[in-house]
C-alpha cells in the first residue's frame, strides 16, 4: 500500500438508541476510511448482521434489551472485529479484554477522533 493510501474499514453500529445511531453515523461519515455497512437496534438483529456483513469495526452499546453488548461478545469471534463499546456507564465499570476501545456517551468529536487514531494504530 502506498504512503498516500489509507486502509479502509467497514463498520457497524449496534445500539438501541436512535440518537446514538445518528451521532455515530455523523462521525463515521467524516472519516473517508470508514464505511458504514450496517446498523442494528438490538443485539439479536446485530448478531445476524455481524454474521452476514462481517464488519471490521463494531460500535457496540453496552445496555440493550434482550442481551447486553458484553453478552453479545460471547456469540462471535472478537479477533475478527475491532470492538468499540459505547455506553453512558463510566469506563471503570466495564473491563473486558475483548474490547478495543470505549466511548462514553454522549460521544465528543475529540474522543471519537482519538478512537479513530487508536484504530489506525491497532488494526
Amino acid at each position: 500500500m502506498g504512503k498516500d493510501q489509507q486502509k479502509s474499514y467497514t463498520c457497524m453500529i449496534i445500539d438501541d438508541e436512535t440518537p446514538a445511531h445518528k451521532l455515530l453515523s455523523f462521525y463515521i461519515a467524516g472519516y473517508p476510511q470508514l464505511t458504514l455497512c450496517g446498523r442494528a437496534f438490538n443485539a439479536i438483529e446485530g448478531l445476524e448482521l455481524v454474521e452476514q456483513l462481517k464488519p471490521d469495526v463494531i460500535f457496540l452499546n453496552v445496555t440493550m434489551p434482550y442481551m447486553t453488548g458484553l453478552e453479545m461478545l460471547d456469540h462471535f469471534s472478537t479477533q475478527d472485529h475491532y470492538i468499540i463499546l459505547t455506553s453512558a456507564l463510566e469506563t471503570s465499570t466495564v473491563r473486558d479484554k475483548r474490547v478495543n476501545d470505549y466511548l462514553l456517551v454522549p460521544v465528543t468529536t475529540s474522543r471519537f477522533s482519538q478512537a479513530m487514531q487508536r484504530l489506525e494504530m491497532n488494526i
Side-chain angles (χ1 to χ4, degrees):
M1 193 175 336
K3 206 175 186 181
D4 297 331
Q5 292 177 319
Q6 278 189 315
K7 188 167 183 198
S8 61
Y9 309 100
T10 56
C11 60
M12 176 183 291
I13 300 168
I14 304 172
D15 196 307
D16 62 323
E17 299 285 334
T18 299
H21 277 263
K22 288 181 179 179
L23 184 61
L24 288 171
S25 295
F26 174 77
Y27 286 147
I28 290 165
Y31 286 81
Q33 69 270 36
L34 296 179
T35 301
L36 184 60
C37 67
R39 301 184 322 145
F41 286 87
N42 64 61
I44 305 303
E45 183 181 283
L47 285 172
E48 291 174 11
L49 280 177
V50 167
E51 182 65 30
Q52 288 173 7
L53 303 173
K54 299 180 183 0
D56 300 312
V57 181
I58 301 173
F59 293 91
L60 178 62
N61 188 264
V62 173
T63 53
M64 294 183 287
Y66 312 118
M67 183 187 313
T68 70
L70 293 174
E71 290 169 333
M72 187 179 167
L73 289 176
D74 293 333
H75 292 269
F76 54 81
S77 176
T78 53
Q79 67 264 20
D80 293 337
H81 312 284
Y82 188 90
I83 306 296
I84 300 176
L85 279 186
T86 62
S87 181
L89 302 172
E90 288 295 326
T91 57
S92 61
T93 63
V94 177
R95 297 272 188 244
D96 193 302
K97 64 182 181 187
R98 300 170 292 184
V99 174
N100 300 98
D101 208 340
Y102 187 96
L103 296 174
L104 190 61
V105 175
V107 180
T108 64
T109 304
S110 64
R111 182 61 187 93
F112 191 87
S113 177
Q114 281 180 334
M116 293 306 95
Q117 289 170 0
R118 286 182 188 165
L119 169 70
E120 290 288 335
M121 291 186 318
N122 293 304
I123 197 170

